[in-house]
Amino acid sequence: MAVRNDTKVTQFILLGLSSDPDLQIIFFVLFLMIYLVTIAGNLLIMITIYVDFQLHTPMYFFLSHLSFLDLCISTAAVPKFLVNVLSESKTISFSDCIAQLFFLHFLGGTECFHLVLMAYDRYVAICNPLRYTTIMNRRACLLLVVSTWVGGFIHGFGQTFPTAQLSFCGPNEINHFFCEAHPLSLLACSSTFISDNADIVNSGSVSVFCFMVVSISYTYIISTVLKIRSTEGRQKAFSTCASHLLVIILFFGPMVFTYLRPPVTLAGDKLISVFYTLITPWLNPFIYTLRNEKMKEAMKRLGGRKVSLLGLHKN
């Protein structure tokens, strides 16, 4: 059993994914490559949607915000990990650790609510197509997006505040590659009853609520699509929703496994965290561009504009 003293911890040591130097280098290269592709892919989606007026619809407005959230979530976790791999100390201050914990849950909660919003958008578009432009007007879209950020902020604060109230007096090694609530609570000198239950109730309730609403929305969507007589119409509707469903599975799967269970440490927790902080934001641009003809056409038009501008510049 580790011996604790009365000295207040002012910084933590992030142990990362492995103590093996060779594996650390492999992880560094992989994380760096994936992170750079994540930045480029999500920025490309955001720029394409902003520039191409044909994509100025609620569906692509929400997609651009999803790309922004993916970019932010990866940035909240990955750069610090990359710096620590190259550093000998691998430390993070107490305030920076709490800030990282807050932003990861703030952004993660916002993305949960945003995926619900995108499911609602598809529900209105397919189940109430004649009222779609009336319901999903510009003002409504802006209010809905703002509401997801407010919900994410409340979730992030509710997740971070109980952990920030804990006392830490040593040891200070976090068995993770970023600051997370449960690994932090294992280092606390004070009672973790409130923080542990807040972790389950807060994150668990958000995950369950969002997943249930999305599931109900897609139950109605699939039921409506199956009633479409045209085979081409059914395929088009399913194709539009397939990308979103895949993103939902990739995002909610790891979160449900992580938060809808007792606060225990499992060997695969760090790898699961890699999935929703790095892999999913990296995959989303490929999922939405490779399966979306309008996005592919818009990117071709964007490429054509760049070529034209370069030609004019040379002349």
Side-chain angles (χ1 to χ4, degrees):
M1 182 179 293
V3 177
R4 300 178 186 271
N5 54 47
D6 295 328
T7 304
K8 185 178 179 180
V9 170
T10 58
Q11 63 182 15
F12 296 100
I13 298 172
L14 294 168
L15 297 181
L17 293 173
S18 173
S19 58
D20 187 326
D22 293 332
L23 280 177
Q24 286 184 15
I25 296 300
I26 293 173
F27 283 133
F28 176 84
V29 173
L30 286 174
F31 272 53
L32 179 60
M33 291 176 61
I34 293 174
Y35 180 60
L36 291 176
V37 173
T38 299
I39 294 174
N42 284 290
L43 279 177
L44 179 60
I45 287 178
M46 292 163 61
I47 292 170
T48 302
I49 293 173
Y50 178 79
V51 170
D52 198 305
F53 289 100
Q54 294 185 34
L55 300 181
H56 288 189
T57 63
M59 175 181 170
Y60 294 102
F61 173 68
F62 297 144
L63 176 56
S64 66
H65 277 79
L66 179 65
S67 293
F68 178 71
L69 283 168
D70 283 337
L71 193 61
C72 291
I73 288 173
S74 285
T75 302
V78 177
K80 181 60 179 176
F81 169 78
L82 295 175
V83 170
N84 280 352
V85 171
L86 299 178
S87 172
E88 292 184 3
S89 62
K90 305 184 188 305
T91 59
I92 184 170
S93 68
F94 178 82
S95 57
D96 286 348
C97 186
I98 295 300
Q100 187 182 53
L101 174 66
F102 168 75
F103 278 107
L104 282 169
H105 281 277
F106 167 38
L107 295 166
T110 303
E111 182 151 340
C112 278
F113 295 124
H114 195 76
L115 289 171
V116 171
L117 174 54
M118 292 178 74
Y120 173 70
D121 173 67
R122 291 300 85 206
Y123 164 77
V124 176
I126 293 174
C127 299
N128 294 284
L130 298 179
R131 298 179 59 201
Y132 180 72
T133 54
T134 303
I135 296 173
M136 303 302 291
N137 57 65
R138 183 177 178 81
R139 182 172 179 274
C141 289
L142 288 173
L143 288 174
L144 287 169
V145 168
V146 169
S147 70
T148 64
W149 284 93
V150 172
F153 179 86
I154 294 171
H155 165 68
F157 181 80
Q159 190 73 23
T160 307
F161 183 76
T163 303
Q165 303 310 303
L166 297 174
S167 297
F168 299 93
C169 51
N172 66 338
E173 294 182 340
I174 300 175
N175 187 22
H176 217 296
F177 68 95
F178 62 81
C179 289
E180 181 58 295
H182 178 57
L184 266 173
S185 69
L186 294 176
L187 305 178
C189 302
S190 54
S191 172
T192 61
F193 177 81
I194 294 177
S195 62
D196 285 344
N197 282 280
D199 190 19
I200 297 173
V201 173
N202 189 3
S203 295
S205 61
V206 168
S207 300
V208 170
F209 169 76
C210 293
F211 188 74
M212 285 182 63
V213 173
V214 169
S215 298
I216 293 170
S217 297
Y218 271 93
T219 299
Y220 282 103
I221 289 171
I222 293 171
S223 175
T224 302
V225 170
L226 291 175
K227 294 176 183 177
I228 298 175
R229 295 182 179 181
S230 168
T231 303
E232 183 180 350
R234 285 198 302 270
Q235 290 177 346
K236 184 177 180 180
F238 274 125
S239 178
T240 303
C241 299
S243 299
H244 186 219
L245 272 174
L246 183 56
V247 169
I248 287 169
I249 292 169
L250 291 173
F251 186 80
F252 281 108
M255 288 192 66
V256 169
F257 177 81
T258 301
Y259 296 110
L260 293 187
R261 59 176 171 80
V264 295
T265 301
L266 298 179
D269 279 359
K270 288 191 282 187
L271 292 178
I272 291 171
S273 298
V274 171
F275 208 85
Y276 65 78
T277 58
L278 185 67
I279 302 300
T280 302
W282 168 62
L283 287 174
N284 282 356
F286 294 102
I287 293 171
Y288 280 109
T289 54
L290 294 177
R291 295 188 58 87
N292 192 308
E293 291 299 327
K294 285 189 176 181
M295 280 298 300
K296 287 191 284 188
E297 291 172 3
M299 286 180 178
K300 289 179 182 178
R301 289 194 292 270
L302 181 63
R305 289 179 183 178
K306 289 181 178 179
V307 172
S308 299
L309 288 172
L310 287 172
L312 289 172
H313 180 71
K314 287 179 181 180
N315 294 332

